Amino acid sequence: MATGWICGNGRILCLPVASKIAGNRKEKVLSSEHTVKLAPLVREISWSNNIIIMEKCNDDLQREFYIQMVKRYGWTKDILSNFVECQTYEKYLLNQTNFELTLSEERRIQAKLAVKDEYMFDFAELSPEYSEHELEMQLINHIREFLIEMGGDFAFIGNQYHMLVGDRDLYIDMLLFHRRLRSLVAIELKIGEFEAEYAGKMQLYLSALDEQIKLPNENSSIGIIICKSKDKTFVEYALKRTNVPIGVATYRLSASLPDNMKELLPSPEEIIEKLKFFEE
């Protein structure tokens, strides 16, 4: 059996009963309640965007996320389709940042959308025992592919970006600018597992950028530490007391997606709590 929603233009939009998200009775109740909540939301975005969301999304929580994103940021159907195919919903839920503690509400969502949990650098041609310098050079040599993977709103400023703090020379691996956030974005590359000291070093970079490089009409700088691997619990502890906006991500060199991505997502109750932010 299927249920239908009436959109603003009077058309009926059909979708599978949302309870298929559930694996038990409690989840079915949550899903049913969410289907009712979504009904008025579909009237607030275009028919073509609704079609993309209904065809490409598997559950109502995922659908609400993309509906709210279209409402808030005015995504066209092509932009929406690209974000769905890039698994923006899953990456939004999985990414690790301290933005809730360090950024204002109006910047927080856009900033979280700008940081993925994992980047795919399958375009990099690396030797079996590559160094951080070799990885950086491959990203520079494939700067177009790198910026596409980072997201459409990034612009490249430089690599090994030099700053002088006291008598010390600082070199940021890669410095980008995010147009929507109007923020400098410092990228630190690590070919091993995340270590807590990386967050401390990034804090120094961001403080120096804000003091020396940031223009008066720009927002505070953001840091992204991209490592080969990370322990999520360890990252949470490392970022808890850091007072500048930092995200920690990993990278892959092959195009295959992790099979356990869905298993890593929060529970339906936790996702509902995260989505409440869009209603404020």
Side-chain angles (χ1 to χ4, degrees):
M1 181 178 178
T3 59
W5 296 334
I6 300 177
C7 296
N9 57 11
R11 298 187 186 182
I12 297 176
L13 187 64
C14 294
L15 68 157
V17 174
S19 61
K20 73 176 183 178
I21 187 179
N24 55 48
R25 187 172 181 179
K26 183 177 180 181
E27 287 182 339
K28 287 180 181 178
V29 171
L30 282 171
S31 187
S32 260
E33 291 173 352
H34 223 74
T35 301
V36 173
K37 180 182 177 181
L38 281 185
L41 289 178
V42 301
R43 299 187 182 100
E44 300 183 37
I45 66 173
S46 71
W47 170 255
S48 56
N49 279 333
N50 270 310
I51 291 295
I52 291 171
I53 291 171
M54 291 307 113
E55 287 182 347
K56 296 191 176 186
C57 297
N58 298 320
D59 62 62
D60 284 346
L61 294 172
Q62 187 180 17
R63 292 181 184 111
E64 184 191 352
F65 172 83
Y66 287 112
I67 290 172
Q68 297 284 13
M69 289 295 98
V70 170
K71 280 178 55 184
R72 183 177 287 254
Y73 298 113
W75 290 352
T76 66
K77 65 176 183 177
D78 291 335
I79 292 174
L80 170 63
S81 183
N82 182 59
F83 274 121
V84 175
E85 289 171 7
C86 290
Q87 297 180 297
T88 301
Y89 168 72
E90 290 83 357
K91 290 169 183 175
Y92 177 84
L93 293 174
L94 289 172
N95 71 7
Q96 286 194 280
T97 70
N98 62 354
F99 295 164
E100 288 83 359
L101 305 173
T102 57
L103 292 177
S104 60
E105 286 189 9
E106 60 268 23
R107 295 185 65 211
R108 192 181 306 158
I109 296 176
Q110 186 66 60
K112 285 182 73 67
L113 289 172
V115 180
K116 299 180 181 180
D117 186 61
E118 188 172 58
Y119 295 92
M120 210 266 287
F121 300 151
D122 61 334
F123 51 81
E125 300 171 359
L126 296 163
S127 60
E129 297 181 2
Y130 62 90
S131 63
E132 286 171 3
H133 175 71
E134 185 180 350
L135 175 61
E136 179 187 328
M137 287 300 97
Q138 280 296 308
L139 299 184
I140 297 299
N141 292 339
H142 297 84
I143 192 64
R144 182 175 180 276
E145 292 89 344
F146 171 68
L147 291 176
I148 289 172
E149 177 60 18
M150 291 299 296
D153 292 314
F154 284 96
F156 178 70
I157 295 178
N159 68 302
Q160 291 303 306
Y161 192 88
H162 177 252
M163 292 182 294
L164 189 64
V165 176
D167 295 327
R168 303 285 187 93
D169 292 302
L170 299 182
Y171 294 91
I172 300 174
D173 286 345
M174 303 181 77
L175 185 61
L176 310 179
F177 185 79
H178 194 280
R179 293 167 54 235
R180 289 182 189 271
L181 289 169
R182 295 199 59 77
S183 294
L184 294 165
V185 180
I187 306 292
E188 183 79 351
L189 300 169
K190 298 295 179 184
I191 60 172
E193 187 172 13
F194 172 81
E195 298 291 347
E197 65 195 55
Y198 302 159
K201 190 175 182 182
M202 180 60 77
Q203 186 163 343
L204 176 61
Y205 289 162
L206 298 183
S207 297
L209 284 171
D210 285 348
E211 288 288 330
Q212 300 181 17
I213 310 300
K214 181 178 80 69
L215 297 177
N217 64 334
E218 293 174 352
N219 293 310
S220 57
S221 304
I222 292 173
I224 305 177
I225 304 168
I226 305 178
C227 305
K228 188 68 180 73
S229 62
K230 64 178 180 177
D231 180 308
K232 284 185 171 288
T233 303
F234 187 71
V235 170
E236 287 177 14
Y237 276 87
L239 296 183
K240 242 173 199 177
R241 297 297 178 92
T242 306
N243 58 11
V244 292
I246 297 175
V248 178
T250 57
Y251 68 90
R252 287 183 293 114
L253 299 175
S254 72
S256 58
L257 289 171
D259 295 329
N260 64 338
M261 176 174 273
K262 192 166 184 180
E263 296 172 9
L264 296 173
L265 294 178
S267 68
E269 295 93 335
E270 291 172 319
I271 295 175
I272 288 171
E273 285 301 311
K274 287 178 179 287
L275 293 180
K276 281 181 180 177
F277 180 81
F278 298 115
E279 300 171 13
E280 298 175 358

